[in-house]
């Protein structure tokens, strides 16, 4: 059994896409085991995305992620990290496969609807970051 962190980003929350996104996770066989709606502080968003600190999009990403409430979710299941990554699709919606969350709901590579941990190791760090 594996757990992974998902974030439904501010653009998806404001456009009422939460229900459809959660349904897509559930239909892929993932079990929702924890969730919290929250407006992230600059420190939280910056700390969460610390690995991207030197990237040119970092400031803009923090601004976007603090622009409104997000839904933090913990998914559980066999191979949950990879399963959620498959449901989300590629980071860049232009490259995301048809039928994936990002293909359906992303507005841009930054406002790409959802986040998901990229490995079991980061899933552990990211889950603990928000759900101590
Ligand atoms: P996420 O999966 O949450 O991980 C890092 C985030 O940075 C990513 O989704 C996007 O929201 C954002 N991001 C990644 N690459 C770019 C880029 N080239 N330009 C703007 N934002 C990006």
């Amino acid at each position: 059994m594996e757990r992974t962190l998902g974030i439904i980003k501010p653009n998806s929350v404001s456009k009422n896409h939460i229900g459809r996104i959660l349904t897509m996770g559930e239909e892929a066989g993932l079990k929702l085991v924890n969730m919290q709606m929250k407006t992230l502080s600059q420190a939280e968003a910056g700390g969460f995305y610390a690995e991207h600190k030197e990237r040119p999009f970092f400031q803009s990403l923090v601004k976007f992620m603090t622009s409104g409430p997000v839904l933090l979710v913990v998914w559980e299941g066999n191979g949950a990290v990879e399963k959620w990554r498959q449901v989300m699709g590629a980071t860049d919606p232009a490259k995301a496969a048809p039928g994936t969350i990002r293909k359906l709901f992303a507005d841009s590579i930054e406002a790409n609807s959802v986040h998901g941990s990229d490995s079991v190791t980061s899933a552990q760090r990211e889950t603990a970051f928000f759900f101590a």
Side-chain angles (χ1 to χ4, degrees):
M1 231 6 120
E2 203 170 273
R3 288 186 173 194
T4 192
L5 183 85
I7 305 179
I8 300 185
K9 296 188 178 186
N11 63 317
S12 294
V13 173
S14 72
K15 292 164 94 177
N16 285 355
H17 292 152
I18 291 176
R20 275 177 281 177
I21 289 171
L22 292 182
T23 298
M24 289 173 75
E26 289 181 330
E27 287 180 345
L30 292 163
K31 182 106 192 144
L32 195 52
V33 293
N34 211 341
M35 65 194 288
Q36 185 189 3
M37 187 172 269
K38 188 173 195 189
T39 301
L40 301 183
S41 67
Q42 297 240 339
E44 281 174 317
F48 181 77
Y49 281 122
E51 69 186 289
H52 297 300
K53 216 147 100 192
E54 307 305 326
R55 307 284 278 275
F57 58 79
F58 179 74
Q59 297 286 351
S60 174
L61 176 62
V62 169
K63 193 171 173 205
F64 163 63
M65 290 299 289
T66 56
S67 66
V70 299
L71 187 72
L72 306 165
V73 304
V74 181
W75 291 114
E76 186 180 83
N78 285 320
V81 170
E82 194 48 38
K83 234 175 220 171
W84 181 236
R85 285 171 61 76
Q86 291 295 322
V87 180
M88 289 193 302
T91 303
D92 181 353
K95 295 177 186 154
T100 59
I101 293 170
R102 283 164 169 164
K103 190 60 164 189
L104 290 167
F105 302 122
D107 295 309
S108 64
I109 190 168
E110 177 177 85
N112 61 353
S113 302
V114 283
H115 169 82
S117 311
D118 64 4
S119 66
V120 173
T121 305
S122 49
Q124 284 162 354
R125 180 189 80 82
E126 293 181 0
T127 303
F129 189 90
F130 288 118
F131 299 90

